[in-house]
Amino acid sequence: QVQLVESGGGLAQPGGSLRLSCAASGTIFGLDTVDWYRQAPGKELEMVAHSTSVDTTDYADSVKGRFTISRDNAKNTVYLQMNNLQLEDTATYSCYAEVRFNRQGPIVGYWGRGTQVTVSS
């Protein structure tokens, strides 16, 4: 019974910062790939950050230099630090994580519920 729960969304001013968290609950061995996505009304789903269990990361061009994905393996939690927020960053942000239940077993993907980020002056 695995759940991914995002938190940390809210209202920020242009130029401000927010830190999103994606915490995996339940009995798991650990997280493999974890990605952050966002979707604004009327726009397509966009991957903004990607990370792997071996610390490989990648970012959408629109957020490079401003967003940073990281993780705390002991807490089974992944973070998205968002700096210098812009109006265009307003969206619902969701995490997708591939979860291991044991050291050698299969990997199962899960989606979180999403958290709203609103950037407004």
Side-chain angles (χ1 to χ4, degrees):
Q1 192 173 8
V2 175
Q3 291 183 317
L4 300 181
V5 180
E6 299 98 334
S7 61
L11 178 65
Q13 295 182 337
S17 298
L18 289 172
R19 190 191 194 196
L20 306 183
S21 298
C22 174
S25 64
T27 302
I28 65 172
F29 177 76
L31 302 175
D32 195 25
T33 295
V34 180
D35 300 325
W36 283 96
Y37 289 81
R38 69 183 181 187
Q39 188 165 31
K43 300 183 68 176
E44 64 184 3
L45 189 68
E46 177 187 22
M47 180 187 290
V48 296
H50 166 80
S51 71
T52 71
S53 61
V54 293
D55 298 322
T56 299
T57 61
D58 198 13
Y59 301 91
D61 288 341
S62 58
V63 307
K64 283 182 179 178
R66 300 189 297 117
F67 290 11
T68 302
I69 189 170
S70 62
R71 67 176 66 193
D72 184 336
N73 287 322
K75 297 181 178 180
N76 289 323
T77 299
V78 177
Y79 305 97
L80 185 68
Q81 179 67 45
M82 304 185 295
N83 295 328
N84 192 23
L85 285 163
Q86 305 297 311
L87 298 179
E88 295 76 21
D89 295 320
T90 295
T92 297
Y93 286 73
S94 302
C95 65
Y96 169 82
E98 296 181 345
V99 178
R100 288 189 179 273
F101 294 93
N102 56 65
R103 186 176 299 273
Q104 299 295 329
I107 298 172
V108 181
Y110 293 90
W111 283 92
R113 64 184 181 182
T115 185
Q116 179 66 35
V117 171
T118 301
V119 184
S120 176
S121 60

